[in-house]
Amino acid sequence: MGKEGALKWGAFLNLISELSSRFVGSSCDDTDRVVNAALTDIGVWFNADRAYVFRFFDSYRGARNSHEWCGPSIEPQIDYLQHLNTEVLSCWMTPFQAGETVHIPDVTQLPPGDGLALLESQDIKSVLMIPMMTDAGLIGMFGVDHVSAKRHWSDEEIAAMQLIAGNISSLFQRHDAETKAQELLYKDTLTGLPNRRSMREQIRRVIEQLQREGGHHALVLMDLDQFTEMNERLGFVSGDWVLQQCGQRLTKHRLNGDIVARMGSDEFALLMTNLAKDPEQALNEVRRRCDALHRDVAMPFSLPVGHEEVTVSLGVALIDRAITDAETPVKHAELALNKAKGTAGHAIQFFDERLQLFSGERSQLLHELRQAIQHEELQLYFQPILSGREDVLGVEALARWPHPERGLVMPADFIGLAESSGYIVSLGRLVLTQACRQLQAWSEDSALKGLSMSVNVSISQFRDPSFAYFVESLLDQYPVATQLLRLEVTESLLALNLSDVITTMRRLSKRGVRFSLDDFGTGYSSLTYLRTLPLSQLKIDRSFIKDISARNKDMTIASAIAALGKSLKLEVVAEGVETLEQLDALRQLKNVWFQGFYYAKPLPAADLATFVKENSSRNSVA
Ligand code: C2E
Ligand code: MG
Ligand code: MG
């Protein structure tokens, strides 16, 4: 190398080290600028006509020209090369994947084939193409073309260019990882929809827009009714599929500028933007669109196991200029959604101020309930269950909450709350303990000993893995309860994993605990389950007893249930018997027991004792 050559080489090495340090020091946001600047410097330095980068995608089937520099008289190609089929590069893909550089000093020396045709079509005379490798393998290719004259690259120059290709690859790798992390931060992976965080930012953005321009938006939260139950019954694969389909159905209701997101679990959101300026008109628009959405999402889904009905509840909050932060609409829509779900699901509820009061009230009640459970302030009332001959055979224990200000709070006002907050597990333990204590006390009274004790058990209690163990240890503590304790379960239990349910039931049955199926006829009513589960009793739901008379449809159902009970050797109890007419109708059925206000309301322990004693002396006289 002569003196001039040495000087030039020195300057070139300076350029390479300058480029390298720019790559190393750059932030990912700067990727495009840094790569474009490097292509320019290299193109100019080598007096080239094009310098470019391609990224491979779709398992190397496609290539995209991501960056390009062109010399003064060269037409940019980048726009035409966004979806290049790599078949046209096929002769070079094998060396690229092996990490080998392709150097063609004279295109005319190439054998005929795809490669030659591609290069000639762009008048290229010489080309250098360097694969861009990362730890994960080939990600792209960095090339320099000469169109106006041939160029031969020395080994040192190629080595320097490989170094630059390595720098570009590392920058891309960093950039890709950051983009992916950003995406994950803002995207829900299951549905591909924006996530809660992303939705909050969009709400913030539209609120800023409202402050400037006025108008209305609406936040609609959508929650699948009974999703947990369905997920457990059908399995997570089907559950995930249903969630994805719901996301797609919701997306169909997105108009220009609207945002759809998955907020978590089975909750989705639709942000309706740019509604009418007039509040009345905006509200009507939202109502109409929510009705359509509510209808469409609730269409049955066809799964391999058959059609599955899914209903949803919607909570809606209108956003106007008075709202200045992103938290408020979410809070409002959540309150409305809770109300919609609380009423029975499958409802649409708009937020109004009263819901806020309701929510404050709810958290206060929850706080008090927790204390009542902790201090064992719940009380059991007992409702007698009588045979056809009117002997009291047992009682159902029903929880009451004597509240210093609210009076006697009924299960309807706190069992649901306990279930949704998870307090039901400790509430249930308290009830079971009190029931066993009561049996122990009655065992010392000849009139009361031997009465069976039915205790209601919620599905969440059954889900608690230590449930069976807890009941067993209670029986150890109160042996008298063995044989007398009956656990009333509802058909919703069948939503859990059936073999787990059966295992728990069998385990407790072995210890002498018996099981009763409560509210029969209102849930799944699957006869197969009746055979599979170790049950000893069926309770016909009150709704069938309410209007029963000798010859109506309810009577047909009740007698069918009674016959079913007989053939499966199950006791049958008719719940909610209030009148003599109902009783007369039911008396035509053999082997049915009765529970209801006709005989007695649920009573405190002392009153129950009186009732049993009076009843038995009346019976013995008769
Ligand atoms: P359930 O297990 O079906 O209990 C029967 C309900 O029907 C009781 O309501 C009872 O008072 C009422 N009832 C009985 N006879 C008649 C009648 O002739 N007419 C009418 N109209 N009603 C009658 P209660 O005590 O309000 O309990 C409601 C529900 O709350 C229970 O339904 C049960 O599901 C739940 N529950 C009560 N206590 C507990 C408990 O300790 N744990 C759990 N997990 N749930 C409980
Ligand atoms: Mg019950
Ligand atoms: Mg019942």
Side-chain angles (χ1 to χ4, degrees):
M1 202 184 286
K3 194 173 170 205
E4 196 186 329
L7 273 177
K8 202 159 178 216
W9 181 243
F12 175 62
L13 290 184
N14 278 345
L15 170 69
I16 297 298
S17 70
E18 155 74 19
L19 289 182
S20 285
S21 63
R22 262 195 249 155
F23 277 114
V24 174
S26 72
S27 85
C28 291
D29 295 342
D30 257 1
T31 303
D32 289 340
R33 197 182 56 74
V34 176
V35 173
N36 284 330
L39 293 183
T40 309
D41 289 348
I42 287 165
V44 170
W45 178 271
F46 287 107
N47 210 6
D49 294 294
R50 275 182 84 220
Y52 47 86
V53 170
F54 276 84
R55 297 291 307 266
F56 296 121
F57 58 84
D58 200 11
S59 310
Y60 304 122
R61 281 192 284 271
R64 178 174 76 83
N65 189 184
S66 61
H67 300 81
E68 179 188 54
W69 167 85
C70 293
S73 53
I74 299 296
E75 184 85 358
Q77 301 277 311
I78 191 162
D79 289 345
Y80 310 113
L81 297 173
Q82 290 304 299
H83 288 96
L84 187 67
N85 189 329
T86 48
E87 271 173 25
V88 298
L89 305 171
S90 61
C91 52
W92 301 311
M93 287 311 284
T94 314
F96 285 164
Q97 276 171 309
E100 290 164 17
T101 294
V102 173
H103 175 205
I104 306 166
D106 183 356
V107 166
T108 56
Q109 300 299 307
L110 279 181
D114 285 346
L116 178 64
L118 177 73
L119 299 178
E120 279 188 342
S121 72
Q122 297 174 68
D123 287 333
I124 294 171
K125 297 210 168 54
S126 303
V127 62
L128 178 73
M129 291 183 284
I130 303 169
M132 299 198 311
M133 310 296 285
T134 67
D135 309 336
L138 179 71
I139 60 159
M141 179 267 281
F142 163 44
V144 184
D145 295 346
H146 283 84
V147 172
S148 33
K150 282 188 263 182
R151 183 167 203 295
H152 185 279
W153 295 76
S154 71
D155 289 347
E156 291 83 1
E157 285 171 335
I158 292 176
M161 297 304 278
Q162 285 168 338
L163 183 81
I164 296 299
N167 287 157
I168 300 177
S169 309
S170 320
L171 185 58
F172 279 170
Q173 198 178 9
R174 262 166 53 207
H175 184 263
D176 291 354
E178 257 183 44
T179 313
K180 183 108 202 199
Q182 282 292 321
E183 254 182 42
L184 285 180
L185 214 56
Y186 288 98
K187 219 181 199 172
D188 168 55
T189 40
L190 178 70
T191 57
L193 293 172
N195 61 13
R196 175 178 280 266
R197 175 194 290 257
S198 171
M199 180 52 103
R200 287 215 181 209
E201 294 203 355
Q202 296 298 338
I203 297 174
R204 201 163 294 132
R205 186 181 57 78
V206 299
I207 285 178
E208 278 169 21
Q209 180 202 337
L210 268 191
Q211 299 305 317
R212 291 192 304 272
E213 299 164 16
H216 295 92
H217 306 303
L219 178 65
V220 182
L221 287 183
M222 173 178 103
D223 192 287
L224 276 63
D225 300 325
Q226 270 101 40
F227 179 72
T228 317
E229 174 269 306
M230 188 177 74
N231 207 22
E232 284 174 4
R233 183 162 43 85
L234 301 177
F236 297 124
V237 175
S238 299
D240 284 355
W241 187 83
V242 167
L243 287 176
Q244 286 165 339
Q245 297 300 308
C246 281
Q248 284 179 16
R249 287 183 182 182
L250 179 62
T251 305
K252 290 204 182 111
H253 288 257
R254 187 177 57 184
L255 299 183
N256 231 352
D258 290 357
I259 314 284
V260 165
R262 179 172 175 221
M263 302 295 270
S265 179
D266 57 340
E267 189 176 306
F268 292 84
L270 168 62
L271 181 63
M272 297 180 179
T273 55
N274 306 315
L275 300 164
K277 293 247 182 275
D278 173 63
E280 198 61 27
Q281 239 178 315
L283 210 57
N284 284 338
E285 196 178 336
V286 178
R287 243 185 223 121
R288 192 177 34 76
R289 288 184 60 191
C290 280
D291 282 340
L293 169 68
H294 197 233
R295 222 180 15 251
D296 276 9
V297 179
M299 297 291 278
F301 289 95
S302 55
L303 287 160
V305 289
H307 287 301
E308 192 62 32
E309 305 276 342
V310 173
T311 61
V312 295
S313 298
L314 303 183
V316 191
L318 206 63
I319 312 175
D320 60 17
R321 238 184 182 157
I323 290 178
T324 52
D325 67 303
E327 313 308 317
T328 306
V330 177
K331 208 169 83 200
H332 286 178
E334 269 169 0
L335 284 172
L337 181 65
N338 282 341
K339 179 81 192 308
K341 288 191 82 74
T343 39
H346 197 37
I348 305 176
Q349 174 72 48
F350 280 69
F351 170 77
D352 80 50
E353 303 296 331
R354 275 167 302 175
L355 288 180
Q356 227 151 2
L357 294 176
F358 172 77
S359 132
E361 163 100 342
R362 188 187 130 96
S363 49
Q364 176 63 22
L365 200 64
L366 201 57
H367 169 73
E368 292 172 0
L369 177 63
R370 199 185 54 175
Q371 294 207 320
I373 298 171
Q374 262 173 5
H375 302 150
E376 304 202 359
E377 283 162 9
L378 295 186
Q379 205 182 326
L380 290 188
Y381 274 44
F382 304 95
Q383 189 176 31
I385 299 172
L386 294 93
S387 70
R389 294 171 48 200
E390 304 197 326
D391 295 321
V392 181
L393 302 174
V395 296
E396 175 171 4
L398 293 154
R400 301 288 182 263
W401 175 16
H403 189 283
E405 284 123 42
R406 299 174 202 263
L408 196 65
V409 185
M410 299 299 282
D413 295 322
F414 66 87
I415 293 286
L417 192 65
E419 273 168 354
S420 62
S421 61
Y423 293 165
I424 191 72
V425 174
S426 44
L427 184 150
R429 288 181 174 206
L430 177 60
V431 167
L432 275 164
T433 313
Q434 288 179 342
C436 289
R437 254 185 232 149
Q438 191 63 65
L439 283 173
Q440 178 80 45
W442 286 344
S443 70
E444 276 146 37
D445 185 326
S446 61
L448 301 168
K449 76 173 183 205
L451 287 183
S452 68
M453 171 78 73
S454 300
V455 176
N456 293 284
V457 174
S458 296
I459 183 168
S460 340
Q461 286 174 262
F462 230 88
R463 217 182 252 137
D464 170 23
S466 59
F467 175 68
Y469 175 76
F470 176 80
V471 176
E472 283 167 348
S473 54
L474 259 186
L475 297 182
D476 290 341
Q477 205 180 340
Y478 301 101
V480 60
T482 320
Q483 311 298 332
L484 297 179
L485 192 63
R486 273 175 208 282
L487 300 183
E488 287 196 5
V489 296
T490 60
E491 287 162 293
S492 63
L493 196 68
L494 304 174
L496 298 180
N497 182 323
L498 196 61
S499 67
D500 290 352
V501 170
I502 294 178
T503 309
T504 307
M505 286 174 80
R506 290 222 172 108
R507 179 169 153 185
L508 292 174
S509 296
K510 272 207 192 111
R511 283 292 307 264
V513 175
R514 276 180 276 172
F515 286 91
S516 171
L517 194 55
D518 204 356
D519 306 341
F520 185 70
T522 56
Y524 296 80
S525 303
S526 162
L527 302 185
T528 337
Y529 291 135
L530 280 189
R531 277 231 200 83
T532 332
L533 299 178
L535 294 167
S536 71
Q537 188 178 73
L538 288 183
K539 297 185 86 171
I540 309 177
D541 189 62
R542 214 165 65 215
S543 55
F544 299 109
I545 310 299
K546 201 166 142 269
D547 299 314
I548 203 162
S549 66
R551 261 189 300 279
N552 68 2
K553 215 165 143 204
D554 288 337
M555 184 65 194
T556 319
I557 295 174
S559 57
I561 297 178
L564 189 72
K566 189 165 177 232
S567 72
L568 295 173
K569 300 197 171 50
L570 300 173
E571 301 155 4
V572 177
V573 179
E575 277 193 295
V577 182
E578 289 184 355
T579 63
L580 191 58
E581 290 72 44
Q582 293 167 341
L583 194 64
D584 283 342
L586 287 163
R587 279 218 172 103
Q588 298 173 21
L589 309 171
K590 297 272 166 332
N591 302 319
V592 172
W593 299 350
F594 308 113
Q595 178 184 350
F597 295 172
Y598 176 76
Y599 290 109
K601 292 202 161 176
L603 304 166
D607 297 351
L608 186 273
T610 315
F611 176 86
V612 173
K613 285 169 191 170
E614 285 178 3
N615 187 72
S616 107
S617 57
R618 209 177 22 246
N619 264 9
S620 58
V621 170

